[in-house]
Amino acid sequence: MNTLLVTISLAASAIGAAVHGRTGAVASSAVNKTTCNGIDYEYEELAGYGYVVSDAVDKFGDTLGGLGSSMHLERGAWKKLQNGSYSGVLWSLPDRGWNTQGTLNFNPRVHKFNIIFTPKPNATVENPSGPNLYFEYLDTILFSGPDGTPCTGLDADATGHLSYTGFPDLPAATYTGDGFGGEGPGGKRIPVDSEGLWVNEDSSFWVSDEYGPYIYLFGPDGKMLTAIRPNDAIVPFRNDTTSFSADSPPFYIDDGEGDDVDPADPDSGRDNNHGFEGLTVSEDGKSLWVLLQAAAVQEGGLDKQTERNVRLLKYDISNRLSPVYAGEWVVSLPLYDDPTAKKSKNPKVAAQSEIHALENGQFFVLSRDSGAGHGADNSQSVYRQIDVFDISDATDIKADGNYDCVGCNVAKTKSGDLKKKITPATYCSFLDFNVNAQLNRFGMHNGGDQDQYLLNEKWESIGMVPIDPSSPNGEFYIFSLSDNDFITQNGFMDGGKLPYADKSGYNLDSQALVFKIRIST
């Protein structure tokens, strides 16, 4: 795998050299413009495309999949080269490993890549560019608990927890054998379904997950340093007790088809697989925000038509080892009409997959439909966007003090309608991934044939760097990686000892897109 990626990276350098001296063309008109609370946003063009092959492996011998659950671009490493290309360091967060047929005792991790990006502004639909974003695999860091025991991707137990001095009660996952279906002593580990990532300047990093949903700080070696448990309105409860299970049975019992917990959905708190999908940190490193993927159970979270009003939490992380809960707001996610659904089942909520704090105080949010894309039943996505929201005029529901208890709700349980005295964030539509006039410039498409050039279903990450690193002027490149769910016909788990072929029959490369934008006031 390393050799393959290094070869690709060297090829990128050669491409960059070949275009030395070329004058970049300026797009004649923007793809889209929007103004959000007085700030102007312009989507100028799709600037790039790249991928990591579906059967690549990391240094531990496991499939290098799920790369787009979250990402982070190191600002200090982002450089413009003399030949017009750019180089940088990209951190990529997979989630809980291959789990389309049940969860496994996969050790959660984060990967590092060198990237080379060569802009191709002259690419057209008639004369499209090939891939111009290349990845060179560098390293993988495995996550471990406060005592050094590896974390796991297995589902959390229905009840119970693990305790460590200085930490809140943490979710626990009990497994038999080796946790992959083989022989072993069994054990108990902290389950982490990683979804959000931010890397600090000292290479420690924050991760948000879906099981807790918790927020974890890991050291550069991957050892857990602190953990944040959110308020009780967000923590899942079943049968009057904390219950972290996401109803995701292990692969080694009935191929993941067995019963895991009763009832399947929590009575309150985050719904299964709808935890802290989005995490971001302010530019000064002092504030951290997390956003639920969709509404909590008691706020309409059990139905795609009512799961609209989601909670945004802020923590003061001036002292990273002692985070302080600092605020909470509501973001009303966008709605879309699913052309494959009955009229009575529309509109649906475009659940969010990532957030990114901007220097101007606003946020990017990646909201999208589901069940559409490469490997899905439907190839045509109708909502897959990076939008903008602003909380400056929204109600701080933490300050109110009446919304953070078990079962407390900001929206009606059945309808999902927001309570009238709560003002949500201002939400503004912005950057559409699905514009074929742009995708076709790089040979990609939305809708149509199920081929390797069809956009994957799940896009769950945002990274942002200035076009001019030496003198930022409001123009940026936005990177986004897709989550391929580790889907391949030549996959490996358990340090390479467990081969697998996903029953879908697909090989889904980890696709990446680069967008060129401008922000101005």
Side-chain angles (χ1 to χ4, degrees), residues 198-348:
W198 185 271
V199 182
N200 300 311
E201 69 280 355
D202 63 356
S203 293
S204 64
F205 51 94
W206 294 98
V207 170
S208 62
D209 102 303
E210 295 210 287
Y211 284 139
Y214 275 31
I215 307 154
Y216 300 106
L217 176 66
F218 293 96
D221 60 353
K223 186 176 181 179
M224 189 180 293
L225 301 178
T226 195
I228 301 173
R229 175 185 169 118
N231 64 65
D232 283 345
I234 291 173
V235 172
F237 279 76
R238 290 180 178 89
N239 305 314
D240 298 320
T241 189
T242 304
S243 179
F244 294 112
S245 172
D247 192 31
S248 301
F251 171 74
Y252 61 83
I253 299 178
D254 298 328
D255 201 24
E257 296 294 332
D259 291 329
D260 199 36
V261 65
D262 183 34
D265 292 302
D267 300 317
S268 69
R270 66 101 184 104
D271 193 20
N272 299 331
N273 303 309
H274 278 170
F276 286 141
E277 189 81 14
L279 176 149
T280 189
V281 172
S282 61
E283 198 69 25
D284 63 7
K286 295 181 179 180
S287 298
L288 178 149
W289 288 271
V290 285
L291 184 66
L292 286 174
Q293 183 172 18
V297 169
Q298 73 274 20
E299 295 165 345
L302 294 182
D303 192 296
K304 290 184 179 296
Q305 293 181 270
T306 60
E307 59 183 10
R308 186 179 191 186
N309 291 299
V310 299
R311 294 179 183 235
L312 173 76
L313 279 67
K314 178 183 178 181
Y315 291 88
D316 182 341
I317 54 169
S318 300
N319 181 348
R320 293 178 193 153
L321 297 180
S322 299
V324 178
Y325 180 30
E328 184 179 24
W329 299 264
V330 175
V331 179
S332 297
L333 296 175
L335 302 173
Y336 70 96
D337 283 327
D338 179 353
T340 69
K342 297 178 181 179
K343 184 177 181 180
S344 61
K345 296 298 183 180
N346 277 317
K348 294 182 178 180

Side-chain angles (χ1 to χ4, degrees), residues 99 137 188 216 294 323 353 381 408:
N99 67 97
Y137 173 74
K188 194 182 292 284
Y216 300 106
S353 292
S381 167
C408 288

